[in-house]
Amino acid sequence: MAAQVVPLVAARALDGALDYAVPAALDSAVVPGALVAVRLGPRAVLGVVMSREPATHKGRLQPVAGVVDAPVVPADLLGLARWVARRTLSPLGSSLKLVLPPGAEGALRRGPDGTWSLGAPTGQGRERLVARAVPGTEAPDGRRATVLAQLVGAGGELQAADLVRAAGTTMPTLKRMAADGQITLTAERADASGLNWFGPAPDPDTPPELTADQTVAVDRVIQAIDAPGADALLLHGVTGSGKTEVYLRAIEAARARGRSSLVLVPEIALTPQFLGRLRARLGERVAVWHSALAPAERAAEDRRIRSGEADVVMGARSAVFAPLRDIGLVVVDEEHDSSYKQDSTPRYDARQVAYKRATDAGAALVYGSATPRPEAWHALPRITLAERADGAVLPPIDVVDMRTQHAGPISRPLARALQEAAERGDKAIVLLNRRGFSRTTLCRDCGWIARCPDCDVPMVLHRDGGPERLVCHHCGLEREQPGACPSCRSVNVGRQGSGTQALEEALANVVPDTRLVRLDADNAAKRGGIVGLLAEFSAPGPAILLGTQMVAKGHDLPDVTVAAVLDADAALQHADFRAEERTFSLIVQLAGRAGRRKGEPARVVVQAWEPAARAVQLGSRHAVEEFLEGEIGRRQARGMPPHGHLLRIVIEGDNPARVAEVAEALAEDLAMADPEVTVRGPSRLHRLRGRTRRAILLQAPLSSTLTTATRRVLAASGVPGGVRIGIDVDPQDT
């Protein structure tokens, strides 16, 4: 019997398994799911054994070079990887990488005794590189100065990987700075023992008495756990209605039946508080799984999950691939959040993968949200938690027409609300979904706008303690802020639009004695940063948590009596079919962070330039059902989800003419592939990260119609030279 092995290489031409001979000495170890070293041309590469079958190749077979010292990929995860590859039209090798054990991304090595391994032996503590600032060091140029500013802001020390992300730089830059004596780089052993950055283990939790709605919900989920087949449910509960308590009771029921549970949250920012709730009730048999874990930490959690020491896994998107056995319950919390969609190949949707995994395991599946997607609302049986668990009422929402307000990001009603909260010693949350200091730098004389030379987007001004700099939020390019217009040499260069950094300055003027905590991607990148920022905000005394949309996502924080969203209708400016859905959800979710304790005074302020917009008005009334029913009807008239499916194809390359030629030909072929497929595009040429792009949008009643047609066209024509083609099935935006 030969081994069918998928080499883990990037080439689409090798999308599939190859036959390899199995030496007698390796026969018992070369099993489906084993990681092996195989020859591909002159080099040895890592591969995954998919099956053992008679060879289909008639010639001489290369032998398997060796078996890698790593855990075997379980059969259910191999099947899941195959499904993801088919569903997303991505190479099988890229999907298999999602289910590999921790450490499998390391370099393939052969030891002197002939054994094969990946980097360090799997499961051992790995070294991490820690960067430290050298006292008294200064850097004259922008990039190195940014690195030093990030280190100083973090107390002088950061893991190198976190510093690279926070400073928008690269490891070679850090190594050159170390060689020049500006920083030190030290290899240290990672601590895999306790995931310390989540804090100490919480005290045991006493279950509260359930409300009538919660009791009905718990009973319904337990019925689904006990049912012979998978059952998917939508748990729709207003913010603060106690959805987490329903999850906890259901997990306890699954555990009592000897089955495991998988809990997904959309953002790593939500894991610390949620993990605390789970461990307070369920003990230390709860594992955490997400991309921010150090390799040694992930390896430690992997061992606990595989051994059965942990029977509950919670985490962000990638946790859907954790190696749990005998799953009885899958929970997808905040199911409306677009963060569940992976934005690189393979572009999987963790909500869909969760459904597939629950179906294969015969597990109950619960999607939970205060603002469900129209797709979930339309398709799933619904359980409703209509009131907050402690009897608190939803806060009233005031919509402020910004056309009547003075210049600046903070309206007069919001300023008064913040000042009154500060006088009471309360806390507030303010959301502005734009990072940086100002959105656009422009010349007021000739109209020049500071744009990224590699992307067709304006650069954003950042000002966070160091020199002012223009940053592209797509490719990370940084430039100095010009003192004069490079087009007409005018010095009348100004800023337009406010980001979170400018909002921080404005708030300091409105409430000068209130503690300000900014939570956005710029200052939450460092390891443990989110936990520290939330702890700082929760400390006694008046405080304001300001930031991007991550401040509205599921946090249950005490003493918050004011919540505000600025430029609430900004998404409505985009020609995207989900624009109203996102605007409505943002308003309702942000409002839900305020007044979560009975008797707390609460006020929500929504600042908008189009206050009469449907999404703004219905959001201000918490009118979830009315909004969703109207949205579903509107989409039905246009054949959009949930009454149709979309597939987006992006053609990109260095040569604009070649990209345009390939896009036009591909659109013609797709239009003739199936009469049920509607082809929109190609879009106009635009640039991103230095490459020219054009997009084609396909629309059809069934997703399978789109994937079949696309697969057939690409198989017939292949991928033309000089371009790269990206496919996004069921895109989250258009």
Side-chain angles (χ1 to χ4, degrees):
M1 297 292 240
Q4 286 69 47
V5 179
V6 175
L8 299 182
V9 294
R12 252 185 200 272
L14 293 175
D15 183 18
L18 304 177
D19 285 341
Y20 283 87
V22 181
L26 301 178
D27 188 67
S28 61
V30 179
V31 297
L35 272 60
V36 293
V38 293
R39 293 287 174 185
L40 197 62
R43 61 190 178 119
V45 300
L46 180 66
V48 180
V49 179
M50 302 302 292
S51 60
R52 293 288 301 273
E53 304 285 348
T56 58
H57 182 70
K58 300 303 182 185
R60 177 180 173 274
L61 297 181
Q62 282 276 4
V64 172
V67 176
V68 176
D69 179 21
V72 171
V73 178
D76 62 323
L77 292 184
L78 285 182
L80 193 64
R82 286 193 186 96
W83 180 87
V84 169
R86 290 195 302 270
R87 182 76 180 78
T88 62
L89 297 183
S90 58
L92 179 55
S94 66
S95 296
L96 283 169
K97 291 179 181 179
L98 300 171
V99 300
L100 296 182
E105 72 283 355
L108 187 62
R109 297 180 181 177
R110 188 177 188 182
D113 57 354
T115 59
W116 293 83
S117 62
L118 291 163
T122 301
Q124 300 295 317
R126 291 190 165 201
E127 288 186 338
R128 61 187 179 191
L129 207 57
V130 177
R132 295 182 176 87
V134 175
T137 298
E138 295 183 359
D141 66 290
R143 179 165 293 189
R144 293 193 177 194
T146 301
V147 169
L148 291 176
Q150 289 290 340
L151 275 177
V152 172
E157 176 181 317
L158 268 178
Q159 283 195 59
D162 293 335
L163 180 57
V164 165
R165 286 194 297 271
T169 187
T170 62
M171 277 303 303
T173 297
L174 299 190
K175 290 178 179 178
R176 286 193 294 269
M177 291 180 69
D180 293 342
Q182 295 175 316
I183 64 173
T184 62
L185 290 174
T186 308
E188 295 183 354
R189 182 70 65 184
D191 177 15
S193 60
L195 303 167
N196 295 335
W197 68 296
F198 289 108
D203 295 329
D205 179 29
T206 302
E209 184 176 345
L210 296 178
T211 65
D213 283 350
Q214 285 177 316
T215 300
V216 171
V218 170
D219 290 344
R220 180 68 183 86
V221 177
I222 292 176
Q223 289 174 13
I225 294 172
D226 291 335
D231 196 0
L233 303 167
L234 173 62
L235 179 61
H236 167 233
V238 301
T239 52
S241 60
K243 293 185 289 294
T244 302
E245 185 60 34
V246 174
Y247 304 152
L248 288 167
R249 300 292 179 103
I251 293 169
E252 289 174 327
R255 175 179 280 180
R257 289 156 176 76
R259 305 187 72 183
S260 61
S261 298
L262 174 63
V263 182
L264 302 181
V265 294
E267 292 269 7
I268 294 173
L270 295 177
T271 55
Q273 190 174 47
F274 208 142
L275 182 66
R277 290 287 304 275
L278 291 174
R279 285 188 172 167
R281 181 72 61 82
L282 304 167
E284 291 300 310
R285 292 177 63 193
V286 179
V288 64
W289 190 277
H290 57 66
S291 59
L293 297 181
E297 291 171 333
R298 189 181 282 238
E301 292 296 77
D302 181 76
R303 287 196 301 273
R304 294 208 305 140
I305 296 166
R306 289 175 184 271
S307 68
E309 182 183 343
D311 62 353
V312 178
V313 172
M314 74 84 56
R317 186 173 57 228
S318 62
V320 76
F321 300 105
L324 271 172
R325 293 178 294 180
D326 192 15
I327 301 175
L329 174 68
V330 178
V331 172
V332 182
D333 193 32
E334 308 289 350
E335 71 86 27
H336 63 276
D337 200 297
S338 61
S339 297
Y340 280 118
K341 184 68 182 282
Q342 171 86 347
D343 61 2
S344 59
T345 302
R347 290 179 170 85
Y348 68 90
D349 190 322
R351 294 164 295 199
Q352 296 174 349
V353 180
Y355 184 87
K356 172 64 175 172
R357 192 150 195 207
T359 301
D360 290 347
L365 173 59
V366 180
Y367 294 100
S369 177
T371 54
R373 291 172 300 150
E375 294 94 319
W377 186 268
H378 176 73
L380 299 177
R382 203 156 52 238
I383 312 168
T384 300
L385 306 179
E387 297 179 350
R388 286 185 157 179
D390 65 353
V393 298
L394 290 171
I397 299 177
D398 298 330
V399 178
V400 178
D401 185 348
M402 290 303 290
R403 294 171 298 182
T404 66
Q405 298 296 307
H406 59 79
I410 301 173
S411 65
R412 290 186 293 273
L414 176 55
R416 285 195 300 270
L418 294 174
Q419 290 162 354
E420 291 168 0
E423 291 170 1
R424 295 192 302 268
D426 291 342
K427 293 179 169 58
I429 295 179
V430 180
L431 184 152
L432 175 61
N433 207 19
R434 287 194 298 271
R435 291 186 290 134
F437 188 85
S438 72
R439 182 175 53 187
T440 307
T441 296
L442 53 79
C443 175
R444 302 192 189 281
D445 289 336
C446 74
W448 169 85
I449 294 176
R451 292 183 177 274
C452 175
D454 294 327
C455 308
D456 282 337
V457 296
M459 301 184 79
V460 178
L461 179 67
H462 280 243
R463 194 168 77 190
D464 48 8
E468 289 190 353
R469 66 195 195 282
L470 296 171
V471 180
C472 176
H473 285 180
H474 290 270
C475 69
L477 179 72
E478 294 189 10
R479 291 279 177 88
E480 290 185 0
Q481 166 77 338
C485 173
S487 177
C488 71
R489 308 313 301 169
S490 167
V491 295
N492 191 15
V493 175
R495 309 176 183 116
Q496 186 177 69
S498 299
T500 49
Q501 293 176 1
L503 175 60
E504 189 173 11
E505 285 193 5
L507 288 171
N509 292 326
V510 173
V511 279
D513 297 326
T514 296
R515 186 170 64 252
L516 300 179
V517 180
R518 178 162 55 89
L519 177 59
D520 58 22
D522 291 328
N523 65 349
K526 64 183 180 182
R527 183 174 172 78
I530 293 169
V531 179
L533 292 168
L534 293 179
E536 182 183 353
F537 173 69
S538 300
I544 297 176
L545 180 68
L546 65 131
T548 52
Q549 60 184 348
M550 64 175 66
V551 304
K553 294 185 177 184
H555 302 294
D556 185 5
L557 302 168
D559 305 322
V560 175
T561 59
V562 174
V565 54
L566 282 57
D567 284 357
D569 51 349
L572 299 179
Q573 301 171 20
H574 300 288
D576 186 86
F577 78 101
R578 293 191 191 274
E580 291 198 12
E581 173 191 342
R582 290 194 174 115
T583 299
F584 175 84
S585 178
L586 190 68
I587 292 171
V588 174
Q589 290 287 339
L590 191 277
R593 302 311 116 208
R596 294 175 70 93
R597 307 296 182 269
K598 189 173 183 179
E600 281 184 342
R603 184 177 180 188
V604 179
V605 178
V606 172
Q607 297 184 177
W609 294 92
E610 295 182 65
R614 171 177 170 270
V616 175
Q617 286 296 310
L618 293 179
S620 69
R621 295 195 278 112
H622 303 276
V624 174
E625 183 169 355
E626 182 179 351
F627 172 79
L628 287 172
E629 293 297 341
E631 185 72 1
I632 289 171
R634 184 175 71 91
R635 294 191 189 180
Q636 184 175 18
R638 294 166 173 79
M640 304 295 276
H643 293 287
H645 289 267
L646 302 174
L647 187 150
R648 187 167 182 258
I649 302 175
V650 175
I651 304 95
E652 66 175 9
D654 296 326
N655 186 321
R658 181 63 173 152
V659 169
E661 175 189 349
V662 171
E664 295 287 354
L666 188 57
E668 290 180 11
D669 291 344
L670 288 165
M672 295 186 292
D674 192 311
E676 291 195 335
V677 174
T678 300
V679 179
R680 304 185 186 280
S683 65
R684 66 178 179 85
L685 290 168
H686 64 284
R687 285 171 59 80
L688 189 68
R689 301 181 185 93
R691 295 171 68 87
T692 300
R693 296 157 59 97
R694 293 190 80 176
I696 301 170
L697 188 67
L698 308 183
Q699 187 175 358
L702 298 176
S703 180
S704 57
T705 302
L706 296 174
T707 55
T708 300
T710 303
R711 186 182 293 110
R712 187 165 61 243
V713 168
L714 290 179
S717 62
V719 178
V723 301
R724 185 168 60 194
I725 293 178
I727 300 171
D728 189 358
V729 181
D730 293 328
Q732 290 303 291
D733 60 70
T734 53

